[in-house]
Amino acid sequence: MSVLVVLAVIGIVVVVIGRQLAGEPLRGKRVLLLPAILAVVGVYQLSGHGEHPTAPDIGLLVAGAVIAAGIGAGQGSVMRLENRGGALWGQLPVIGLWLWGALIASRVLTTLVASELHAHVAASSAAILLMLGVNRLGQAAVITRRALTSGVPFAPEKDGKVFMGNRFGRQN
């Protein structure tokens, strides 16, 4: 199961990085809800791990989440945001790859420390989805704040509605 989780996360990260580097219209549900779903799935996977988290597990998971959210906020800060056709469009500059590298390095380091402390829950692959979700939520928080400040609404969803459109003075 852990190999499948790792492969799924690698696939998600490759797709996300590729989309961010190429640039795309930013739809609110993808920016906000998808990371929340990843985080919830991560929590679910952790709870089904079969072991009760110890104090070192909890400490490392909290520290990892803080680091992941901080890196996500950094990713949201460096993201180039533009108004294209009246909707939000974003692109991660190549320098943003350093932040992805920092996220991966922080997870590897956390896993190594967790292994040394016998914090098996924090060292498990189940924590990866949680940290990825928290990272994406950190980025989403900054992007959403920047979008609201600029007044540029998210791109329309597939059904034509604008997520949080009422916050931008639009009716859904």
Side-chain angles (χ1 to χ4, degrees):
M1 174 90 160
S2 65
V3 172
L4 285 176
V5 171
V6 172
L7 290 175
V9 170
I10 290 170
I12 291 168
V13 168
V14 167
V15 168
V16 169
I17 291 172
R19 291 178 79 128
Q20 286 186 340
L21 289 174
E24 66 180 339
L26 297 179
R27 292 182 175 86
K29 288 182 180 178
R30 183 176 292 152
V31 170
L32 292 165
L33 296 182
L34 201 55
I37 291 168
L38 277 175
V40 168
V41 170
V43 168
Y44 175 77
Q45 291 232 336
L46 281 174
S47 65
H49 190 262
E51 292 186 46
H52 294 288
T54 62
D57 283 310
I58 293 168
L60 287 168
L61 288 170
V62 168
V66 168
I67 292 167
I71 292 170
Q75 290 166 322
S77 295
V78 301
M79 179 80 73
R80 290 186 191 119
L81 300 180
E82 298 177 15
N83 181 345
R84 289 201 180 175
L88 194 62
W89 187 88
Q91 181 180 29
L92 186 70
V94 175
I95 196 156
L97 290 175
W98 285 103
L99 291 167
W100 276 106
L103 179 65
I104 293 165
S106 72
R107 182 61 204 151
V108 169
L109 182 61
T110 301
T111 301
L112 292 173
V113 171
S115 294
E116 286 296 314
L117 296 176
H118 303 289
H120 301 293
V121 175
S124 72
S125 61
I128 296 172
L129 275 180
L130 173 61
M131 295 309 150
L132 183 58
V134 169
N135 170 262
R136 304 290 71 215
L137 284 170
Q139 181 184 43
V142 172
I143 288 173
T144 302
R145 181 187 51 77
R146 289 177 62 198
L148 288 169
T149 301
S150 72
V152 179
F154 286 112
E157 302 294 332
K158 291 183 181 183
D159 63 4
K161 293 182 181 179
V162 176
F163 187 77
M164 292 178 51
N166 58 342
R167 300 277 186 179
F168 297 96
R170 292 189 174 195
Q171 298 298 324
N172 279 333

